[in-house]
Amino acid sequence: MFLENIANLGETKLKYAASSRGNVTTKLLISTLVFICILVGFLYAVLPSKNQGYAPVQPIPFSHKKHAGQYQIPCMYCHTSAERSRHATVPAMNICMNCHRMVKTDSPYIQYLTKNYNEGKPIPWIKVHDLPEFTYFNHQRHIAKGVACQVCHGEVQEMDRVKQFAPLTMGWCVNCHRQPQYHAPTTCDTCHR
């Protein structure tokens, strides 16, 4: 009986040691995962924008090079809300139809545009410039201060397919705000409200 008690005691200690190692392993795994999540979040915040150079294929291959470059249509003709709103927005289809009721009507893309316009269906454009939700940006203020669209969007009038030209990171924006010609605020609540 004495030997059995010693054997049972040894077995109990081994089980306790094994479960303790299991708890330590679980805690180590959780700590490692938390660390990795924090590291990824930090790197996401400080690395250059993952969208710089992003140029998605759009449902209609709209050429800014042709419209804004060759035909010199001003940005504000199509992006009407940029002067009076925080958002530049995708142009309303009636703006496209101002010309395309008569221009290039035999094009399958213009026929697709016309069909959607007549049916009241939007074109499923893919957003190119997408700031984080915690960032406040106002197009109207920038236009009122005389900031050219090309400062942030690049030489759009030379792009067949629009791409994200600038990194649009916090550092990039703050550096622009520090330029003496803009007299722009650099306090946190300027962009984070």
Side-chain angles (χ1 to χ4, degrees), residues 11-30:
E11 222 176 87
T12 302
K13 285 185 176 180
L14 285 173
K15 285 180 183 176
Y16 176 76
S19 71
S20 293
R21 275 190 298 242
N23 288 341
V24 169
T25 304
T26 303
K27 288 178 184 175
L28 183 61
L29 179 63
I30 290 170

Side-chain angles (χ1 to χ4, degrees), residues 81-82 84-88 133 135-141:
S81 62
R84 54 187 164 74
S85 167
R86 110 175 235 216
H87 303 287
E133 289 182 20
T135 305
Y136 177 84
F137 179 84
N138 190 316
H139 277 88
Q140 180 183 19
R141 283 189 186 164

Side-chain angles (χ1 to χ4, degrees), residues 171-184:
W172 184 84
C173 294
V174 169
N175 285 338
C176 191
H177 275 227
R178 288 180 178 150
Q179 299 302 311
Q181 68 267 31
Y182 295 132
H183 305 288

